[in-house]
Amino acid sequence: MMTPRILFVAALLVPGAAFADQAAGNACAAKLPADAQTIYNASVGQVTPQTDLRALITDQTKSLVMAGTIQRASAKPSAQAAAKCLELVK
């Protein structure tokens, strides 16, 4: 009888942990400069535990620079800052 209860409680806690990570990432991103926030927002929806963050952030940053959404001069430091917040989500 005790084992099913433990499994049930454990199952309830797993989604909560993922939500906490998303909240931590969002809180981190709120403190970022505008270009880094743009990179974070463009990338966060695609982050999973298996995501290669470097590839994702590189692709998103290149696309944003090419579209004129972020400045080329700030792309690298902005991507590095966004990566720290995206790590929290992963």
Side-chain angles (χ1 to χ4, degrees):
M1 282 274 237
M2 189 63 114
T3 302
R5 285 185 188 172
I6 292 171
L7 292 175
F8 178 73
V9 171
L12 290 176
L13 293 176
V14 171
F19 180 73
D21 293 342
Q22 180 74 44
N26 291 343
C28 174
K31 300 173 191 169
L32 295 173
D35 283 353
Q37 283 184 1
T38 300
I39 295 168
Y40 175 87
N41 290 332
S43 305
V44 71
Q46 300 174 46
V47 175
T48 68
Q50 296 79 30
T51 300
D52 177 355
L53 282 181
R54 184 176 182 154
L56 173 63
I57 294 167
T58 299
D59 290 345
Q60 291 298 324
T61 302
K62 284 180 182 178
S63 294
L64 292 167
V65 168
M66 297 302 285
T69 306
I70 65 172
Q71 298 297 313
R72 184 176 183 192
S74 71
K76 184 175 181 177
S78 295
Q80 291 169 335
K84 291 178 183 173
C85 298
L86 289 165
E87 272 292 333
L88 299 173
V89 176
K90 188 174 179 183

